[in-house]
Amino acid sequence: MTSVVEQVTSRPDCERRAKWLTVMVLAGTFLAVVAALDPTTVRPGWMAAFVALIGGSAVIAGASWRWGAAWSDRVVMAVVIVLDVLVLSSIVANQDRVSALLNLILLLPPTLFAAVCLPAPLPRWQEGFVVVGAAGVAATIAANSVQWLTLTGLPVIALVGAAETVLAQRRHLDGALASFAQLSMTDPLTGLLNRRGMLARLLGTTGTTNRYCAVLVLDIDHFKTINDLYGHAVGDDVLRAVGQGLLRATRSDDVAVRLGGEEFAVLALNTPAEARILAERLRVSAMQWMAPWSGTISVGGVVVELLNSDELTAELVNCLMEEADRYLYQAKHAGRNRVVLAEHASAVE
């Protein structure tokens, strides 16, 4: 199951990633074509292999544009490695390979692309390939070990340093986005989920074998009177007490929510009998949570039978919330501090 936080903090969408990849491959192909047209660039005997690489990269560019959005991370990584190979081949195939070492800078776009768009550990694989490739190319050029170390170390430090900087910033950004996403789904006063978090949590239960969904709406009785007598600061204490009480009194797979004001909700995959027991237990426990202020709650609820877990949609949850709210008002009109619970045969009714 993919949570909302994971969705918010995920890498760029596949279509945009495919377009970026296509542009990079086309740019590399264009530069390779320019190099091939210059008779002083490609070494004798290397032209056929170099042209084959150009043709292969052109095919990859077209495939990326057409099907790249459906490619897996590993396939995209393979294409990035092909780009690296094309750059390294342009150096080895150059008549003046020392000057061609400047082409190592062309490894920067695919390296940064991997750092931005691919999940761990693939960016590190890209860095490893760059290190090995640069070292191999430098070995064909360097006159001694010291020169080899210099020719290898300088571009590797620059490329890996740039990639690691991007990865560090990406981790920081992912953490910030995760925090914002969490805040957007949580009520800051009580620590309970809000409506958005409720839907994300409940709709993530696809594949469950439970046949029933119970929605309980709870409202603090005479909350305005509590505010008037004790002040809004104490009113906040009351709300926090109820919120923490709901967290303690519900199971880990139940969903406790603050809907707003003094209204709360509990959603559980319970049978009608279980839902009634839960509602009564919450009503009685609430008197303990709010004992210093002599507070009570009223509960309205509805239980629906699900034919399968796919029926548990946002629309159904919202409808059940509205219906449970109507039963809550029945509990209020009947004298408060009580439970009114209804049951439906199926979700399609």
Side-chain angles (χ1 to χ4, degrees):
M1 180 185 71
T2 302
S3 70
V4 171
V5 172
E6 291 169 338
Q7 294 170 15
V8 171
T9 60
S10 64
R11 61 185 182 276
D13 66 86
C14 293
E15 290 186 2
R16 187 169 51 198
R17 185 178 71 173
K19 291 178 181 178
W20 290 352
L21 186 61
T22 301
V23 169
M24 280 199 308
V25 177
L26 286 176
T29 304
F30 174 76
L31 292 176
V33 169
V34 172
L37 292 177
D38 184 354
T40 65
T41 299
V42 182
R43 296 173 64 191
W46 286 73
M47 182 60 74
F50 198 66
V51 170
L53 280 174
I54 294 173
S57 64
V59 170
I60 291 173
S64 176
W65 181 264
R66 179 65 180 82
W67 300 291
W71 286 351
S72 68
D73 295 328
R74 291 180 180 271
V75 172
V76 173
M77 181 64 190
V79 174
V80 171
I81 295 298
V82 170
L83 281 175
D84 294 337
V85 170
L86 184 60
V87 172
L88 296 172
S89 299
S90 71
I91 298 172
V92 176
N94 200 298
Q95 296 184 40
D96 185 1
R97 281 180 285 175
V98 175
S99 299
L101 276 175
L102 291 174
N103 288 359
L104 283 175
I105 197 174
L106 297 177
L107 291 173
L108 184 59
T111 300
L112 294 182
F113 173 85
V116 172
C117 297
L118 293 176
L122 297 183
R124 297 285 168 72
W125 293 4
Q126 159 69 9
E127 292 178 24
F129 187 85
V130 165
V131 171
V132 173
V137 168
T140 67
I141 299 172
N144 53 61
S145 58
V146 175
Q147 187 182 33
W148 173 81
L149 185 60
T150 302
L151 294 176
T152 302
L154 292 177
V156 163
I157 290 173
L159 291 169
V160 173
E164 287 299 318
T165 300
V166 170
L167 287 173
Q169 291 300 313
R170 178 178 169 184
R171 288 191 294 269
H172 175 73
L173 179 60
D174 284 350
L177 289 175
S179 298
F180 289 142
Q182 188 64 40
L183 288 173
S184 73
M185 295 189 295
T186 306
D187 172 55
L189 180 63
T190 63
L192 298 178
L193 296 175
N194 57 22
R195 282 183 178 270
R196 178 183 296 180
M198 171 192 71
L199 291 175
R201 172 80 180 277
L202 193 66
L203 299 183
T205 58
T206 55
T208 179
T209 58
N210 296 71
R211 292 180 54 199
Y212 295 93
C213 177
V215 177
L216 306 177
V217 177
L218 307 82
D219 190 87
I220 301 174
D221 297 324
H222 302 296
F223 183 71
K224 184 178 183 302
T225 302
I226 295 176
N227 269 333
D228 292 341
L229 287 176
Y230 300 103
H232 290 283
V234 172
D236 288 345
D237 291 338
V238 174
L239 293 172
R240 277 190 287 264
V242 173
Q244 293 304 306
L246 288 176
L247 287 176
R248 293 191 302 268
T250 53
R251 302 169 303 185
S252 59
D253 54 349
D254 295 336
V255 184
V257 187
R258 184 188 177 194
L259 299 176
E262 67 270 27
E263 195 169 66
F264 298 82
V266 172
L267 296 89
L269 299 176
N270 283 351
T271 65
E274 292 170 338
R276 185 168 296 279
I277 292 173
L278 174 61
E280 286 291 348
R281 179 161 54 83
L282 294 177
R283 183 189 66 81
V284 173
S285 298
M287 290 188 285
Q288 300 174 358
W289 306 335
M290 297 183 289
W293 311 283
S294 302
T296 62
I297 64 170
S298 298
V299 182
V302 61
V303 182
V304 65
E305 184 178 5
L306 303 174
L307 299 179
N308 58 71
S309 61
D310 292 337
E311 292 185 353
L312 196 60
T313 63
E315 292 76 12
L316 175 61
V317 172
N318 288 329
C319 288
L320 295 177
M321 293 286 292
E322 292 178 4
E323 187 165 2
D325 203 50
R326 289 196 293 271
Y327 288 108
L328 168 66
Y329 281 103
Q330 289 185 23
K332 291 281 190 181
H333 293 155
R336 295 181 171 82
N337 191 23
R338 66 191 61 223
V339 172
V340 176
L341 185 68
E343 176 188 350
H344 289 297
S346 68
V348 297
E349 290 187 356

